[in-house]
């Protein structure tokens, strides 16, 4: 369990907002797979910066056993987000490689966190495996077209957005009834 659950429960809405941003980004990438690289890069950069902030906060106030992983993922997310926002339309290859590396790193960390938590481990393992698979595909074929990248990106955004929304509402329930359930954010976030 991450940190003081009642304190995290008060901020449940952050997970819901992150989830909604992810789902909207995923839907836009599916509806308009031919989005310009600039738009896709900006959306991805904003998402990665929000993820970085949440991971760094978890590294500071989270469970001691998971702080190092949160810090590493926060730094990787921050660097990737800044690259996306700094050069969103200049180089498809750079964005593809950064996206692939981020997804593989996050997927591995997600799986490690899932095995280190109790409760619903399969959420974290499933999300991690999807991230690693999509990241590996992107890295294996860095010259894939923007449409293919948009579809892979959309899949990961939809999965991660759904998981974040579910977690947010579970945290909300936990904030109102702390004795009713245990939520393990390391499995979802």
């Amino acid at each position: 369990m991450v940190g003081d659950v009642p304190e995290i429960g008060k901020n449940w809405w952050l997970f819901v907002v992150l989830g909604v941003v992810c789902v909207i980004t995923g839907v836009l990438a599916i509806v308009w797979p031919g989005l310009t690289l600039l738009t896709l890069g900006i959306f991805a950069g904003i998402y990665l910066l929000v993820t970085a902030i949440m991971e760094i906060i978890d590294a500071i106030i989270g469970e001691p056993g998971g702080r190092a992983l949160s810090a590493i993922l926060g730094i990787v997310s921050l660097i990737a987000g800044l690259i996306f926002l700094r050069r969103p339309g200049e180089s498809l290859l750079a964005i593809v490689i950064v996206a692939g590396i981020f997804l593989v790193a996050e997927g591995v960390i997600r799986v490690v966190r899932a095995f280190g938590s109790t409760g619903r481990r399969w959420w974290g393992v499933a999300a991690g495996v999807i991230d690693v698979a999509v990241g590996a595909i992107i890295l294996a074929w860095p010259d894939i077209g923007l449409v293919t990248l948009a579809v892979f990106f959309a899949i990961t955004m939809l999965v991660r957005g759904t998981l974040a929304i579910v977690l947010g509402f579970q945290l909300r329930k936990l904030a109102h009834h702390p004795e009713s359930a245990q939520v393990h954010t390391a499995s979802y976030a």
Side-chain angles (χ1 to χ4, degrees):
M1 207 148 62
V2 176
D4 182 26
V5 175
E7 192 64 36
I8 288 176
K10 292 177 188 175
N11 297 318
W12 64 271
W13 60 273
L14 289 171
F15 290 92
V16 174
V17 168
L18 177 64
V20 169
V21 169
C22 289
V23 169
I24 290 171
T25 302
V27 168
L28 288 175
I30 287 173
V31 171
W32 292 299
L35 283 174
T36 64
L37 183 56
L38 179 66
T39 304
L40 185 59
I42 289 171
F43 276 124
I46 291 168
Y47 166 77
L48 290 169
L49 290 179
V50 171
T51 299
I53 291 167
M54 291 181 73
E55 289 296 336
I56 290 169
I57 290 171
D58 188 46
I60 295 168
I61 66 171
E63 184 176 309
R67 288 182 181 174
L69 292 176
S70 291
I72 292 167
L73 187 55
I75 291 168
V76 169
S77 299
L78 180 65
I79 292 169
L82 291 174
I83 290 171
F84 273 46
L85 290 175
R86 173 74 171 100
R87 303 198 183 276
E90 290 184 17
S91 171
L92 175 59
L93 183 59
I95 287 180
V96 168
I97 290 171
V98 168
I101 290 169
F102 169 76
L103 288 171
V104 169
E106 184 176 51
V108 168
I109 289 172
R110 209 180 269 253
V111 170
V112 169
R113 280 182 171 171
F115 282 114
S117 69
T118 57
R120 298 183 183 129
R121 292 181 182 170
W122 66 272
W123 282 92
V125 171
V129 168
I130 289 170
D131 283 348
V132 169
V134 171
I137 290 169
I138 289 172
L139 289 172
W141 294 293
D143 58 343
I144 61 175
L146 181 58
V147 173
T148 305
L149 175 63
V151 170
F152 284 140
F153 181 74
I155 291 167
T156 61
M157 291 298 103
L158 291 172
V159 169
R160 113 186 21 233
T162 302
L163 293 174
I165 291 169
V166 168
L167 173 63
F169 284 114
Q170 284 187 345
L171 286 172
R172 179 176 180 238
K173 181 172 46 173
L174 186 60
H176 291 92
H177 306 288
E179 70 286 344
S180 67
Q182 289 188 347
V183 177
H184 303 278
T185 58
S187 299
Y188 300 101

